[in-house]
Amino acid sequence: MMRKVLLALSLLMCVGLTSAQEEPRTFYMGFTPFPYAITLDAVNFTYQHIEQDADLIVHHFDSGVPWIEALNGEAYHPNMMNDWSWRRSQVPEDHQLLVTVTPISITRDGLAPYHGEAEDMPLTAPFDSYSFDTPEVIEAFINYCNTTIEYFEPDMFVFGIEVNLLMKLRPDVWDAYMVLHREVYTTLKATYPDLPIMVSLTGIDLLPGYTDADHDDQMRALEDILPYTDYVGLSVYPYMTAYMTREIPYDMFDDLAVLIDKPLAVTETGYPAQSFRVSEGADLYFESDEGKQADYIRYLLESAQEHQFRFVVNFVLRDYDALWEEIGGREDLTIVWRDTGLYDEDGNERESLQIWREWLARQ
């Protein structure tokens, strides 16, 4: 009798273990098509591996808004539309599509520049004198969002990238931004009630002691935003905090989940698999390796499952050493994300990619 009991318990343990291992994944996994070099081969490699190593692709537009055309209902520049056409054609049929745009500059301290013939063009009159709450800015940005949604037909849409950095860097314009934010969200939700619409925040600035952000200001920004976003997207780079690469803050996602009473998603993240130095404006050395990156990716995906994130995006698929060299090879902010790919600069698979694929294999 005892032998039968022990056998039954053993079988139950095996069944429990198998069930835990096969627990369905609660989140999508993706990358942006950020290329590792300015070559067609680099672009093709990136898209091909997004197709095989992800079930979500992110088109991330953070280089200006066609303000004039959007306001006047005019066609966008052919250069912009050619890029859009290519991107739309490269979305795998079985992948979710996330599209992100923003009215805030990439420096997160003012109105986004103009996207005309090229990206990041200077604002011209009258937009160079407008603020976030100027009616023409609000109208133009809503038109731009509508056009983007209609063109790409995304499964999820971000209308502001790392918006709480504006509170950190320019608290004097925050109230004006919120006028735009509320109007954009309420208008888009009325038009697209079934489309998840959100903004992203720098998660590290929401947690006290991680950065030099004023915590009260960040809590006010979060309180202002929460009623006007379906999910809270998190831009999370834990090594760009007081922890640097000395340790991974393993309570980070728990703390963010407690703080935010909305569905969470990781709109962008990464962790370096190699050491690097930032010497411009500071002298900081970040010591890291493939093992540390693998530890972070494991923690990230386990946390995503535990807290039922909607999706997780590792921004860089493959290290962009070649691109970094082409743009000057400086030890400034361009180096900070260089080694965060799950493929190294030569296209070799990293340990973190195996962890990523194990999770991707789950239904």
Side-chain angles (χ1 to χ4, degrees):
M1 181 67 179
M2 182 59 68
R3 184 177 178 182
K4 290 182 179 179
V5 171
L6 291 174
L7 179 59
L9 287 173
S10 177
L11 288 171
L12 285 171
M13 289 176 65
C14 289
V15 170
L17 179 60
T18 301
S19 299
Q21 289 174 336
E22 296 177 353
E23 181 183 355
R25 173 165 46 94
T26 65
F27 54 93
Y28 293 104
M29 301 170 65
F31 302 92
T32 72
F34 184 83
Y36 60 87
I38 309 175
T39 66
L40 184 58
D41 284 345
V43 172
N44 288 335
F45 178 97
T46 304
Y47 277 109
Q48 288 165 7
H49 286 76
I50 288 175
E51 184 168 5
Q52 76 177 37
D53 291 322
D55 56 11
L56 177 145
I57 184 171
V58 185
H59 286 317
H60 181 89
F61 299 111
D62 196 9
S63 54
V65 174
W67 293 110
I68 298 168
E69 292 83 357
L71 179 62
N72 297 327
E74 300 170 353
Y76 299 165
H77 195 279
N79 290 350
M80 184 174 180
M81 295 313 301
N82 288 339
D83 176 59
W84 277 21
S85 177
W86 167 260
R87 287 174 178 266
R88 187 171 65 174
S89 71
Q90 297 303 306
V91 177
E93 290 184 3
D94 59 346
H95 282 40
Q96 293 279 297
L97 173 61
L98 170 67
V99 173
T100 71
V101 300
T102 187
I104 304 173
S105 65
I106 198 168
T107 52
R108 311 293 185 243
D109 58 358
L111 195 64
Y114 174 54
H115 189 164
E117 180 179 0
E119 300 176 343
D120 295 315
M121 298 176 68
L123 290 169
T124 57
F127 280 89
D128 58 350
S129 64
Y130 286 167
S131 62
F132 286 106
D133 59 352
T134 301
E136 288 83 356
V137 168
I138 297 172
E139 181 181 355
F141 190 68
I142 290 175
N143 291 345
Y144 173 55
C145 289
N146 281 324
T147 300
T148 306
I149 292 170
E150 293 295 326
Y151 189 88
F152 285 101
E153 299 181 328
D155 297 287
M156 293 164 285
F157 185 69
V158 170
F159 70 93
I161 300 171
E162 300 178 333
V163 300
N164 58 321
L165 279 180
L166 187 67
M167 171 62 96
K168 178 181 178 179
L169 300 173
R170 289 290 307 278
D172 57 306
V173 302
W174 179 255
D175 288 340
Y177 166 74
M178 280 306 304
V179 173
L180 177 145
H181 181 108
R182 288 189 291 267
E183 188 66 26
V184 173
Y185 177 78
T186 54
T187 302
L188 293 181
K189 283 308 294 184
T191 307
Y192 310 101
D194 299 324
L195 176 66
I197 296 172
M198 72 202 84
V199 294
S200 72
L201 310 175
T202 51
I204 58 176
D205 288 310
L206 297 175
L207 300 175
Y210 276 61
T211 71
D212 61 354
D214 183 279
H215 187 62
D216 290 340
D217 281 352
Q218 290 297 304
M219 292 303 95
R220 180 196 160 197
L222 180 62
E223 183 180 3
D224 288 349
I225 287 167
L226 281 178
Y228 303 98
T229 185
D230 294 339
Y231 308 160
V232 173
L234 298 171
S235 172
V236 184
Y237 297 95
Y239 61 99
M240 297 175 67
T241 69
Y243 292 94
M244 296 180 65
T245 51
R246 290 187 292 269
E247 61 178 302
I248 296 171
Y250 284 114
D251 54 357
M252 178 177 63
F253 288 117
D254 290 340
D255 292 343
L256 287 168
V258 169
L259 192 62
I260 300 169
D261 186 23
K262 278 282 177 89
L264 295 174
V266 176
T267 50
E268 56 179 288
T269 193
Y271 202 91
Q274 296 171 223
S275 300
F276 66 93
R277 181 182 298 278
V278 176
S279 59
E280 289 196 13
D283 187 14
L284 301 172
Y285 182 68
F286 296 79
E287 185 175 358
S288 195
D289 53 35
E290 287 195 29
K292 285 185 178 180
Q293 184 192 56
D295 288 343
Y296 173 67
I297 293 298
R298 184 180 295 107
Y299 164 61
L300 166 70
L301 300 178
E302 289 175 353
S303 297
Q305 184 78 356
E306 178 183 355
H307 297 295
Q308 298 187 331
F309 290 2
R310 297 304 193 257
F311 57 83
V312 170
V313 176
N314 198 81
F315 195 89
V316 175
L317 177 99
R318 172 171 164 173
D319 288 3
Y320 59 88
D321 297 58
L323 176 62
W324 179 71
E325 292 286 352
E326 288 184 52
I327 61 176
R330 297 183 303 276
E331 292 181 340
D332 57 9
L333 280 180
T334 60
I335 201 174
V336 169
W337 300 277
R338 185 192 63 187
D339 304 312
T340 59
L342 305 191
Y343 291 87
D344 71 14
E345 63 269 24
D346 297 317
N348 298 313
E349 298 179 2
R350 287 205 165 108
E351 179 184 350
S352 54
L353 182 60
Q354 302 309 312
I355 298 168
W356 180 272
R357 283 177 175 164
E358 289 170 6
W359 278 92
L360 184 66
R362 298 192 188 194
Q363 294 300 311

